[in-house]
Amino acid sequence: MIVRWLREVSQTELQQGYLEACQVAADHQAGRWLVDSRRRAEPDAQMVDWLAQEYLPALKPAIHNLPIHLACLVATTWRPSTSPATPLAALAQTVSDIEQDYQISLFGDEGAAMAWLQEQP
C-alpha cells in the first residue's frame, strides 16, 4: 500500500490520513506500506508519540495481526543528524523493532523501498 503526502499538512490532517490508511489496510489486509513523506519536513513530537503509543499498536489488530513493514521514503538530501525528521522518520530512529510489532526502515530511493517491502514475509 502506498501512503503519500503531496504537501505539508497539519497534525489533524496527518492523523486523519493515517486513520484513513488504516481503514484501507484493514479492508485489504495490507501489512506492507510505502509511506512517502518526501514533501513533509516538519518534525512533530506529538505526532511521534501518537504514532508510537496509539496508532501503530492499533494497526496490527486492525489487519488481523499480520506483520507490519513500513518503508518511510524521505528526501535524498535528508540526513538524520542535521535535518528535521518527519514523525515516522523520527520514530524509525528511536524505536527498536524487536520491542515492537512493526518494522520501519528509511529510504531515499523509492525503488529500494519497494524492493525492501517485496522482500518482507
Side-chain angles (χ1 to χ4, degrees):
M1 184 167 93
I2 298 174
V3 179
R4 202 177 300 269
W5 280 270
L6 301 178
R7 63 178 172 79
E8 192 63 44
V9 294
S10 69
Q11 180 176 338
T12 300
E13 291 174 304
L14 188 60
Q15 285 179 329
Q16 183 61 38
Y18 271 117
L19 292 171
E20 289 174 12
C22 181
Q23 183 59 53
V24 171
D27 291 346
H28 298 279
Q29 295 303 290
R32 291 180 277 178
W33 296 21
L34 173 71
V35 180
D36 185 350
S37 56
R38 290 177 290 186
R39 290 179 181 90
R40 297 197 66 249
E42 294 300 316
D44 186 333
Q46 287 180 314
M47 275 303 297
V48 173
D49 288 343
W50 180 78
L51 284 169
Q53 303 300 319
E54 295 179 41
Y55 183 75
L56 290 173
L59 180 59
K60 190 165 179 97
I63 60 170
H64 300 276
N65 294 314
L66 290 172
I68 298 170
H69 303 280
L70 305 171
C72 181
L73 196 54
V74 295
T76 56
T77 57
W78 180 77
R79 299 290 175 259
S81 59
T82 60
S83 302
T86 64
L88 190 59
L91 186 60
Q93 297 173 77
T94 60
V95 175
S96 169
D97 291 338
I98 296 170
E99 299 170 356
Q100 301 299 326
D101 291 327
Y102 50 85
Q103 289 185 316
I104 305 172
S105 288
L106 301 177
F107 297 89
D109 176 75
E110 190 163 343
M114 293 299 286
W116 178 79
L117 286 170
Q118 291 173 345
E119 293 170 358
Q120 303 310 309

